[in-house]
Amino acid sequence: MERTLVLIKPDGIKRRLSGEIISRFERKGLKILGMKMLKLDRKRAEAHYAVHRDKPFYNELVNYITSDPIIAMVLEGRSVISVVRGLAGSTDGSKAVPGTIRGDYANSIQMNIVHASDSQESYEKEVAIFFNQDEIHGMVYGDEGLI
Ligand code: CMP
């Protein structure tokens, strides 16, 4: 069973969309194994977005993600990395298809409501930035009707 790391970014929280977003993941049948609200410090934000270090928007991106609290989640499910990226929609909210989280709620690239790991390798790096092993709860669910 695959896992992914999802962040609800400051715009998602300020716009009171956290419940709506979490609900979409739950209704899809994904399991929440870990969840916390935190204000990211610069060091962890830079580690999280290290692959974008050379991009022109990098500083703005780090400033933004550290500006206000976020919610971090570990989700589990079949093919959950691609499933969650499908639910989130294209990075640029103005191009995201209606019915996706960004398609329904974002019209910006930077303020695009959620972040989701794009690969198993990214998940492994990202989860270590946000969670200790004992904060990920693998055994709290049954799988009735969800496999
Ligand atoms: P996220 O999934 O968090 O991963 C990297 C983030 O960089 C992305 O979502 C966007 O919020 C942001 N991003 C990507 N491209 C641009 C861009 N051209 N200008 C500003 N921000 C961007």
Side-chain angles (χ1 to χ4, degrees):
M1 202 57 87
E2 202 171 81
R3 294 180 181 181
T4 194
L5 187 283
V6 174
L7 305 178
I8 303 178
K9 298 186 182 184
D11 54 309
I13 292 173
K14 287 188 215 176
R15 292 176 56 198
R16 280 75 161 165
L17 291 171
S18 308
E20 165 69 18
I21 293 161
I22 293 164
S23 178
R24 287 182 181 217
F25 296 138
E26 287 199 315
R27 279 186 276 141
K28 180 67 178 169
L30 307 179
K31 299 175 183 175
I32 300 168
L33 302 191
M35 179 157 60
K36 59 169 78 167
M37 190 172 197
L38 70 150
K39 193 154 183 289
L40 203 52
D41 58 50
R42 202 159 184 93
K43 196 171 156 210
R44 282 196 295 169
E46 287 175 353
H48 177 67
Y49 281 131
V51 292
H52 298 296
R53 205 172 24 227
D54 299 326
K55 308 264 173 66
F57 56 84
Y58 174 72
N59 269 331
E60 212 181 313
L61 180 60
V62 171
N63 288 342
Y64 174 62
I65 204 74
T66 56
S67 64
D68 277 302
I70 59 172
I71 290 173
M73 286 179 275
V74 176
L75 302 180
E76 185 180 76
R78 285 184 58 226
S79 305
V80 72
I81 292 173
S82 65
V83 165
V84 167
R85 287 181 70 83
L87 292 170
S90 301
T91 303
D92 182 346
S94 74
K95 299 192 174 77
V97 172
T100 63
I101 293 167
R102 291 165 176 158
D104 288 349
Y105 298 118
N107 207 35
S108 161
I109 306 183
Q110 180 173 270
M111 286 186 268
N112 61 354
I113 317 271
V114 289
H115 164 86
S117 308
D118 64 6
S119 64
Q120 179 66 30
E121 192 190 350
S122 300
Y123 165 71
E124 280 163 23
K125 278 189 204 139
E126 292 173 2
V127 74
I129 295 168
F130 292 91
F131 288 90
N132 296 320
Q133 271 309 317
D134 64 1
E135 296 171 321
I136 300 172
H137 307 280
M139 303 307 288
V140 294
Y141 295 88
D143 283 318
E144 294 81 7
L146 298 175
I147 299 237

